[in-house]
Amino acid sequence: MIAAPFHEGEQAVQRLVGMQARMAEIGPRVIRDHMPEQHQRFFEQLPMLLAGMADAQGRPWASVLVGPPGFIQAPDAQQLHVGALPLPGDPMAGHLQPGAEIGLLGIEPQTRRRNRANGQVTAVEAGGFGVAITQSVGNCPQYIQRREPMMKAADGPAAAPARSLSMLDAAAQALVSRADTLFIASRAPATGDRPAGGADVSHRGGPPGFVKIEDAHTLLLPDYSGNQMFMTLGNLMVDPRAGLLFIDFDSGDLLTLTGRAELVWDGPDVAALDRAQRAVRFQLQAGWWLPRALPLQWRRIS
């Protein structure tokens, strides 16, 4: 249990929506400084792990790490060892170093389970890295689209070199326009006054096309009713930078973006998004397109 699990940004959002008192009661019961046994075993069975980190300029990026089930190991309740490194072309690769803040999200689309485990990188080796866990919390299954993983055929098309993006080109816009899933990285620097801070990565899902493309540099993300902890929005209150990751679950193409986020609380832009309670407007600053980089395919299941 963490006695004061929410930093001032999270508390500010909770206060705005009238949930601060309720979250002050619930938070210490569900946000821990260690992983319960079921979370440890959950991470160990996954073939994919999402990560959020900041680069040297403090810009968050969301990344995906993959390996056969068992590539993640939990030697105890406060440590994870990830037996994989960022994929070629992933901007996280150059910033994975001891002491770096990192947010981790384990997600199992076929069962719609997901758990967060945030902390600091302890060591980086030739085939992976370790993480000391400082915050662990389970998340509800809402908005997770059910899929089951399959390794790509060995004779399938190989990954192609990554290319940088300064705007959303036709391929990027096509992926966003059909996406039903994204991952968002954010951060709130941990300080003496903000012990609950750190890096984070979270899931967002909805019907295909739930993210609105406003122009070649701007996306509007609906924010639906959730667990009311507001970890992502709370981070954006104190640091408006964010990273987005879109995955083409058929081809393995990855679109990773970083930029600035503006919270949109109400008005016509929110009203135009079905079921949204608020929205996040994302302004692209830099990005990468990684063709066929993910060595997994996913089959949608009902």
Side-chain angles (χ1 to χ4, degrees):
M1 186 178 79
I2 301 175
F6 298 118
H7 60 67
E8 70 263 31
E10 293 161 328
Q11 293 177 46
V13 179
Q14 293 164 8
R15 186 165 53 250
L16 282 169
V17 301
M19 292 297 296
Q20 187 176 17
R22 179 66 173 150
M23 288 299 105
E25 174 189 349
I26 294 174
R29 299 206 307 260
V30 300
I31 301 175
R32 310 171 180 87
D33 62 0
H34 65 282
M35 297 175 292
E37 177 75 18
Q38 63 171 322
H39 288 200
Q40 296 173 52
R41 304 290 81 82
F42 173 73
F43 280 107
E44 290 177 338
Q45 69 185 15
L46 299 175
M48 181 176 80
L49 180 69
L50 285 304
M53 284 186 63
D55 63 18
Q57 301 175 53
R59 303 177 304 179
W61 295 89
S63 299
V64 58
L65 301 149
V66 294
F71 86 103
I72 308 166
Q73 290 291 310
D76 58 50
Q78 291 188 299
Q79 293 185 76
L80 280 177
H81 184 269
V82 181
L85 293 171
L87 297 166
D90 189 321
M92 180 174 141
H95 303 283
L96 190 64
Q97 55 189 351
E101 297 172 350
I102 189 168
L104 300 174
L105 175 68
I107 186 167
E108 190 174 60
Q110 63 268 42
T111 63
R112 302 176 68 224
R113 291 180 63 193
R114 56 176 164 168
N115 293 311
R116 277 179 164 106
N118 300 343
Q120 292 185 322
V121 177
T122 55
V124 180
E125 303 161 353
F129 61 97
V131 179
I133 303 304
T134 57
Q135 187 184 72
S136 171
V137 61
N139 286 151
C140 66
Q142 287 191 92
Y143 316 116
I144 296 176
Q145 312 301 321
R146 295 187 68 219
R147 290 181 167 90
E148 59 183 9
M150 304 174 290
M151 293 302 293
K152 280 186 179 179
D155 58 354
R163 56 183 175 85
S164 63
L165 298 175
S166 59
M167 60 183 291
L168 297 169
D169 60 15
Q173 292 193 38
L175 175 52
V176 172
S177 69
R178 63 179 181 269
D180 59 19
T181 301
L182 67 85
F183 301 94
I184 180 169
S186 60
R187 64 191 295 263
T191 66
D193 298 326
R194 194 184 296 146
D200 182 70
V201 65
S202 181
H203 164 275
R204 292 289 188 272
F210 77 109
V211 176
K212 180 180 179 182
I213 301 171
E214 295 191 319
D215 58 45
H217 296 89
T218 314
L219 301 175
L220 191 64
L221 287 57
D223 189 70
Y224 302 128
S225 175
N227 58 25
Q228 309 299 318
M229 289 188 282
F230 297 109
M231 291 180 165
T232 298
L233 298 194
N235 284 351
L236 297 177
M237 286 283 281
V238 296
D239 186 337
R241 294 173 291 186
L244 303 181
L245 175 68
F246 293 89
I247 298 175
D248 186 318
F249 291 100
D250 296 321
S251 68
D253 293 344
L254 302 177
L255 173 65
T256 182
L257 311 171
T258 194
R260 295 185 71 83
E262 171 196 1
L263 303 183
V264 183
W265 298 104
D266 51 30
D269 289 337
V270 175
L273 300 171
D274 184 41
R275 298 180 295 119
Q277 297 192 332
R278 57 201 69 84
V280 176
R281 177 168 281 114
F282 175 84
Q283 295 281 345
L284 172 66
Q285 294 181 329
W288 290 89
W289 179 266
L290 283 65
R292 301 182 298 278
L294 189 68
L296 284 173
Q297 288 179 309
W298 297 79
R299 183 176 69 87
R300 182 76 183 264
I301 54 178
S302 59

